[in-house]
Amino acid sequence: MFLFIAGMRTMSDNSLTPPKSIRARSSQRSIIRELLKLASQPDVISFAGGLPSPKSFPVKAIEKATDWVLETQGTRALQYSSTEGEPALRKAIAAHEAELGAPVDPDCIQIVSGSQQALDLMALAYIDEGSKVAVEDPTYLGALSAFKLQRPEFVTLPTDEHGLNPDLIGPEFSGIRFAYVMPTFQNPTGITITEERRKKLAEKAREYDFWILEDNPYGELWYDRQPPKPIRCYAPERTLTMGTFSKVLSPGFRLGYIIGPKPALDPLTTIKQAVDLHTSTFTQLISARCLDEGLMKTHMPDVRALYRTQCHCMLDALERYFPEGTTWTKPDGGMFIWVTLPEYINTDDMMKEALDRKVAYVPSSAFYANEPKFNQMRLSFVTVPPEKIDQGVKVLADLIKEKMATHNA
């Protein structure tokens, strides 16, 4: 017995792990996750996390829908479901898409466990090692994390101050697996591309024979006017569009969906069945009930008004405090503002100093696939009270002014 115990390693011994797969060895800790640990401290003003405001959660409506589901479909809600998703939810999503002028057959909707799973399934189904995948510059870092596990070759989509510019897409994009784009209130820049550019991208996809992976998590978060129709309206035969309930109901539901041609969804369904069988039946039926009861019409106006106020508060503070030589986007919706500083200021290096002063942001290097830029930052405004937004922006402005003064001395 003594020899056995003496030869054992403890559970805390980090060397006692199975051999890692290539995918696991390729996985890196997310800068967002690390930042959120620091930013979650109660004395930190955090512009870092892309979390929806808790004020936007329709708690009473969800409570009412939950009661209804348990009373009328309790045994179904607590049972296994189909991998494709609950018919009631797919039908409700199709009805909502039709209201937006983007009709879809319910059979062309795949339910997933959050949009991050959609990205992962897309990578597993459509990326091989060395496959060419086109992404915006900058782009959503969660997509980069999911795609990188499959070890693709990233190709940069051309952008300008108005976002993705498809006029500059040429023959070099022939043979890419897909172009991943977030055309509406993009994360991280907040930019929305025009209807004209959406149509042009659809034309380029046909011309150079590639698919479009359209990510639309923020489309409902418009402030004053509804954004253009999804790209899939202009190239339905070669577009897969992702949506999520995280920004309109609850991120805790972990509920999203993919819209696209049935043959393109079939591989995703097969892989999802192997990964988790299906998404929660319970949250699917609750969400379907919320949609059927008209929650998008009754609840979203208040969310849009809240986010509009928060955004304008930050824009006003940036205008008031940030020095000449800095610029920023002015979004019409969504959750983010993208700030560009003089090239000699490295926001990776400045991040620790900002945290020492109890303000957090996300540095720009995290959002680039190939050649990162280090003089930008993403600011999220939706979870910070107006007085704290003003205070936090002033802290950042003072820090930036110090950097500029040192450089110019």
Side-chain angles (χ1 to χ4, degrees):
M1 177 66 70
F2 171 77
L3 290 175
F4 177 73
I5 295 174
M8 289 180 64
R9 296 182 180 181
T10 66
M11 293 296 289
S12 62
D13 188 341
N14 291 329
S15 65
L16 187 60
T17 59
K20 292 182 180 179
S21 68
I22 292 175
R23 191 179 190 195
R25 293 198 301 271
S26 301
S27 180
Q28 298 178 345
R29 295 182 70 84
S30 165
I31 187 173
I32 290 290
R33 185 169 60 197
E34 301 306 312
L35 275 172
L36 287 176
K37 289 180 181 178
L38 297 170
S40 63
Q41 300 173 16
D43 59 340
V44 172
I45 299 173
S46 177
F47 302 137
L51 307 178
S53 171
K55 295 179 181 179
S56 71
F57 300 158
V59 177
K60 291 297 183 182
I62 291 175
E63 180 183 11
K64 182 180 177 182
T66 302
D67 290 342
W68 183 88
V69 167
L70 288 174
E71 289 172 5
T72 64
Q73 305 180 62
T75 55
R76 180 179 181 84
L78 302 178
Q79 186 56 277
Y80 286 111
S81 180
S82 66
T83 305
E84 291 86 352
E86 278 294 309
L89 180 58
R90 296 160 80 194
K91 182 179 178 181
I93 292 171
H96 180 63
E97 291 290 320
E99 291 176 356
L100 298 176
V104 60
D105 190 299
D107 286 341
C108 293
I109 299 173
Q110 168 66 57
I111 303 301
V112 291
S113 300
S115 58
Q116 193 63 31
Q117 183 182 62
L119 292 166
D120 185 45
L121 294 176
M122 209 71 61
L124 289 169
Y126 292 116
I127 300 177
D128 294 312
E129 183 174 352
S131 299
K132 290 185 177 181
V133 174
V135 295
E136 294 170 282
D137 202 31
T139 191
Y140 172 49
L141 63 85
L144 291 178
S145 297
F147 298 159
K148 281 180 179 178
L149 292 176
Q150 299 304 108
R151 306 171 80 178
E153 176 186 340
F154 287 111
V155 179
T156 300
L157 288 164
T159 57
D160 56 25
E161 68 272 19
H162 303 296
L164 172 65
N165 186 351
D167 284 327
L168 302 179
I169 292 177
E172 67 275 13
F173 286 86
S174 295
I176 65 172
R177 291 293 176 91
F178 57 76
Y180 169 77
V181 298
M182 191 179 289
T184 305
F185 315 134
Q186 195 231 24
N187 181 356
T189 65
I191 292 174
T192 297
I193 63 172
T194 63
E195 181 180 19
E196 181 182 357
R197 289 194 173 192
R198 294 172 194 233
K199 291 179 179 178
K200 177 67 75 170
L201 180 59
E203 293 171 6
K204 293 287 187 175
R206 291 192 182 99
E207 182 178 0
Y208 297 116
D209 193 24
F210 61 81
W211 279 68
I212 299 168
L213 176 52
E214 178 182 28
D215 199 353
N216 188 33
Y218 311 107
E220 294 290 344
L221 302 180
W222 48 273
Y223 301 154
D224 298 309
R225 62 181 182 275
Q226 191 170 317
K229 293 180 181 180
I231 294 171
R232 71 175 177 85
C233 292
Y234 309 113
E237 81 287 357
R238 57 176 62 245
T239 302
L240 289 161
T241 299
M242 300 185 302
T244 178
F245 288 93
S246 293
K247 310 303 184 293
V248 297
L249 280 181
S250 158
F253 273 13
R254 304 311 305 131
L255 193 60
Y257 54 93
I258 307 169
I259 299 173
K262 189 68 167 61
L265 293 180
D266 286 343
L268 306 177
T269 305
T270 301
I271 294 173
K272 178 174 172 59
Q273 187 174 45
V275 170
D276 68 354
L277 295 183
H278 68 87
T279 296
S280 164
T281 316
F282 194 26
T283 55
Q284 286 189 68
L285 292 176
I286 293 170
S287 299
R289 179 63 176 177
C290 286
L291 291 179
D292 289 344
E293 290 290 284
L295 184 65
M296 300 300 284
K297 294 180 180 178
T298 60
H299 173 63
M300 288 312 298
D302 291 337
V303 178
R304 294 177 189 123
L306 171 65
Y307 285 12
R308 182 194 303 115
T309 298
Q310 299 282 107
C311 180
H312 289 174
C313 178
M314 179 169 280
L315 289 173
D316 290 345
L318 288 167
E319 193 68 43
R320 194 159 49 246
Y321 298 124
F322 266 45
E324 186 177 348
T326 62
T327 60
W328 51 89
T329 56
K330 298 177 181 179
D332 297 317
M335 301 167 57
F336 307 108
I337 293 173
W338 187 244
V339 179
T340 300
L341 309 179
E343 290 188 359
Y344 55 81
I345 297 181
N346 186 312
T347 54
D348 279 36
D349 296 338
M350 195 177 75
M351 180 174 62
K352 186 179 184 304
E353 295 176 68
L355 283 169
D356 287 341
R357 303 185 189 193
K358 304 300 181 182
V359 178
Y361 61 84
V362 185
S364 56
S365 61
F367 300 97
Y368 288 92
N370 291 325
E371 297 180 8
K373 295 181 180 179
F374 295 94
N375 64 317
Q376 298 163 315
M377 64 174 75
R378 189 194 76 178
L379 304 180
S380 178
F381 45 81
V382 298
T383 59
V384 186
E387 66 276 8
K388 291 291 186 180
I389 289 177
D390 190 85
Q391 179 183 340
V393 169
K394 187 176 187 305
V395 168
L396 290 178
D398 290 342
L399 181 55
I400 292 164
K401 290 173 184 176
E402 292 171 17
K403 297 289 184 185
M404 296 173 75
T406 299
H407 180 267
N408 295 326

